[in-house]
Every structure is written in structure tokens, then in C-alpha cells.
Amino acid sequence: MPFRMSGYIPFGTPIVVGLLLPNQTLASTIFWQWLNQSHNACVNYANRNATKPSPTSKFIQGYLGAVVSAVSIAVGLNILIQRANQFTPATRILIQRFVPFPAVASANICNVVLMRHTELEEGIDVLDGEGNVVGSSRIAARHALLETALTRVVLPMPILVLPPIIMSLLEKTAFLRSRPRLLLPVQSLVCLAAFGLALPLAISLFPQMSEIETARLEPDIAQATASLIVTYNKGL
């Protein structure tokens, strides 16, 4: 239940707040990226196309690959910024606030592919106009993973880009300057609002039941049905 899309915002917002905390150390960067990609891995797995059983060993392999890639990307970007001596300390802190987005977006692609790679190997069911299974298609699986990966690139855009911009403006106000203890609660509310905006926007990019022309699929599937278009569950 925590990994349904309806639980993404309440369980994911505290992680987003942690990702956007200023003055991150190497240890805190690794921790928040690990926690974020662990959560994403479970969400991707729980919302996959589950027409075929997936062994636990495949889940573990995908999870380890997703987390290692995410942490490596985030730590690598942070190290590059810390070594950029031409930036002033204030500029370096501002840039570090935006590091989570490219790190998370690129890691999310790896996460989706690695957590659902069995679909690429075995294919996913495609259905004719009457809902009958025509066959199992690897080509449809590639389309499903591509569409899902694109949603995972769009999803963190408002979540990880808008809050740093908004907070950099709010922190200059007299209200927050005189009440520094409110910075974290205000940032949490900003992240929650951005998450609530981004999730339905990203999910709505592609329908869950997507369509593909039969002629673009494997020859045996194209010959097995008279339907010009078949559908498949791409997952969420």
C-alpha cells in the first residue's frame, strides 16, 4: 500500500525535503539518494506490468543496480561542484541545491529499466480490441519502459527545481529572516505543493493502457490478430 501512486506524495515528500537540504555532506547525500531510490525502486516494482511473475532475485539485482547508479551520479556531481573553485561559496551552495534534479532524473531512468528489466527479456501481454491476449511482445515492453522512464524524468522537475527557486526568494524576506526556525517547515510545505502538482502532471503524459500499431510488433503477433492496433498496460 505505501508504494501505490496514492501514497507517493505522503511517503515521498519527507525524502524530497531531505534531498533539498542545504550544505549537504557526502554522507547525507549518499543517505538521501539511497533512501529516495529505494523508495522509487519499490514504487516502480509495485506499479509495473505484472502479467508475468518476477523472481525475488531479479528484484534484488535491479534494486542494487538502481541504488548504486543513483548514489554514484549524485556523489559524482557533488564532488565536481565542490572542486569548482571559480564559484563563490554562495553560488556553490545555490548550485548544490539544483544537483538533486539531474542526479535523480538520470538515476530514475536507470531505476525504471533495472527494476523492470524482466519485461524486456520476456515481453508483456498485448491485447486486441476485445481484450483478448494476442501474444507477449518485447517491442511493446520497450515502449512501456520508455514511456514510464519519461514520466520519471518529468516528475522531479517541479519537485526539485521549483522549491530551491521559491526558497531562495522566501529566505530573503524579513519574515523568515527573523524566524529561521520556520525555514524547514516552510520548505516542507513548498515541497509538498510541488509534489502534488508534479505527480498527476507526470502520470498523465501517457495513458496506463497505451496503444501501438500491430505492424510495429513482432511478426508472429502481427499475424495472430486482425486488429490494426493493440493495447498494453505500461504500468505507472
Side-chain angles (χ1 to χ4, degrees):
M1 189 177 295
F3 306 122
R4 293 177 181 175
M5 278 298 164
S6 57
Y8 210 168
I9 293 176
F11 286 94
T13 298
I15 300 174
V16 172
V17 174
L19 284 169
L20 294 176
L21 290 174
N23 302 317
Q24 295 267 17
T25 64
L26 181 62
S28 64
T29 298
I30 292 174
F31 170 76
W32 288 112
Q33 287 292 342
W34 163 76
L35 188 60
N36 181 54
Q37 290 305 325
S38 295
H39 182 239
N40 287 343
C42 292
V43 170
N44 290 333
Y45 184 79
N47 293 279
R48 71 195 187 283
N49 181 308
T51 53
K52 292 183 173 61
S54 180
T56 305
S57 60
K58 295 286 187 181
F59 170 81
I60 295 173
Q61 290 173 11
Y63 168 75
L64 292 175
V67 170
V68 169
S69 64
V71 173
S72 300
I73 292 168
V75 171
L77 286 173
N78 269 319
I79 290 175
L80 284 175
I81 290 172
Q82 289 171 1
R83 292 182 178 179
N85 297 322
Q86 67 270 26
F87 297 128
T88 63
T91 303
R92 193 179 297 118
I93 290 174
L94 182 63
I95 294 175
Q96 281 178 329
R97 280 185 160 182
F98 289 95
V99 164
F101 171 66
V104 169
S106 52
N108 280 355
I109 297 174
C110 298
N111 199 316
V112 169
V113 174
L114 290 169
M115 290 306 301
R116 296 176 56 178
H117 68 283
T118 53
E119 296 175 34
L120 296 174
E121 298 171 359
E122 301 177 7
I124 59 175
D125 289 348
V126 292
L127 315 173
D128 61 17
E130 298 179 355
N132 300 314
V133 177
V134 176
S136 186
S137 172
R138 294 181 180 178
I139 295 175
R142 287 203 298 268
H143 282 267
L145 263 66
L146 175 61
E147 291 171 348
T148 306
L150 287 174
T151 65
R152 297 303 192 269
V153 173
V154 173
L155 177 60
M157 281 184 185
I159 300 172
L160 298 177
V161 173
L162 287 179
I165 295 174
I166 295 172
M167 288 306 300
S168 64
L169 297 174
L170 292 179
E171 286 170 0
K172 297 176 183 178
T173 62
F175 178 79
L176 286 182
R177 280 185 175 179
S178 60
R179 299 171 179 84
R181 292 182 178 180
L182 292 179
L183 281 173
L184 186 58
V186 170
Q187 180 169 325
S188 300
L189 290 174
V190 171
C191 290
L192 179 63
F195 212 151
L197 167 71
L199 184 61
L201 175 66
I203 292 177
S204 65
L205 289 177
F206 303 100
Q208 184 172 354
M209 295 302 297
S210 294
E211 297 181 344
I212 187 170
E213 295 176 2
T214 310
R216 298 172 61 186
L217 300 179
E218 292 85 345
D220 59 322
I221 295 178
Q223 294 171 4
T225 179
S227 299
L228 299 178
I229 295 177
V230 292
T231 60
Y232 58 89
N233 180 5
K234 75 168 183 63
L236 288 175

